[in-house]
Structure formats: structure tokens, C-alpha cells
Amino acid sequence: MTRQDRLEFIKILQAHAQTVAICEACARTTRDLAAEVKRGGAPSPADLQQTVEIAERVLADLEATREEVERLIASFS
């Protein structure tokens, strides 16, 4: 494996690690929201807005990660 191949492979692994971290954060947020609603509470509008903003950033990160993985797949196909 060449140095360039190794660097590209590391980028793929980093993208997957980032994706897993994002998915974990999403699952925690969903769990916490469900627990709050189950207790009969409701998050404040400010908390919900913060969640929306974070979700938008997460979606942008996931899109960029997907695009990079697709680019790398295409370059090795």
C-alpha cells in the first residue's frame, strides 16, 4: 500500500468514526427527549431550537462525510 493509499484509507476510517459519533449523539438526544416527554415534561422552546440547530449541523456534517466517502469509493473503483 502506498503512502497516498494509506492516507486515503485513514480519511475513510476517520469519516466512519465521525459518522458513528454523530449517530451516537443523535441517539442520545432522541433518548433524552423521549425520557423527558415520558415524564410528562416538554422541552422549552429554547432547548428545542438548540436541538434543531445542532441537528442542522449534524446533517451538514453527515452530508459532507457521505460525499467524501462517495468520492473515495469512486476514486478506488
Side-chain angles (χ1 to χ4, degrees):
M1 183 178 273
T2 68
R3 184 177 192 283
Q4 183 64 28
D5 289 342
R6 285 183 55 166
L7 292 174
E8 291 295 322
F9 184 67
I10 289 169
K11 284 174 66 174
I12 292 169
L13 292 176
Q14 289 170 334
H16 284 296
Q18 180 181 7
T19 300
V20 168
I22 289 168
C23 292
E24 287 173 339
C26 290
R28 279 192 294 276
T29 299
T30 301
R31 178 200 60 208
D32 294 349
L33 179 58
E36 181 72 23
V37 171
K38 181 181 176 187
R39 284 192 299 271
S44 71
D47 287 343
L48 289 172
Q49 181 59 42
Q50 181 182 12
T51 299
V52 168
E53 291 167 4
I54 291 169
E56 291 296 331
R57 287 195 303 268
V58 165
L59 289 169
D61 285 348
L62 284 170
E63 181 178 353
T65 300
R66 180 185 46 75
E67 289 171 355
E68 178 64 11
V69 169
E70 288 172 353
R71 183 191 72 76
L72 290 169
I73 289 169
S75 72
F76 284 97
S77 296

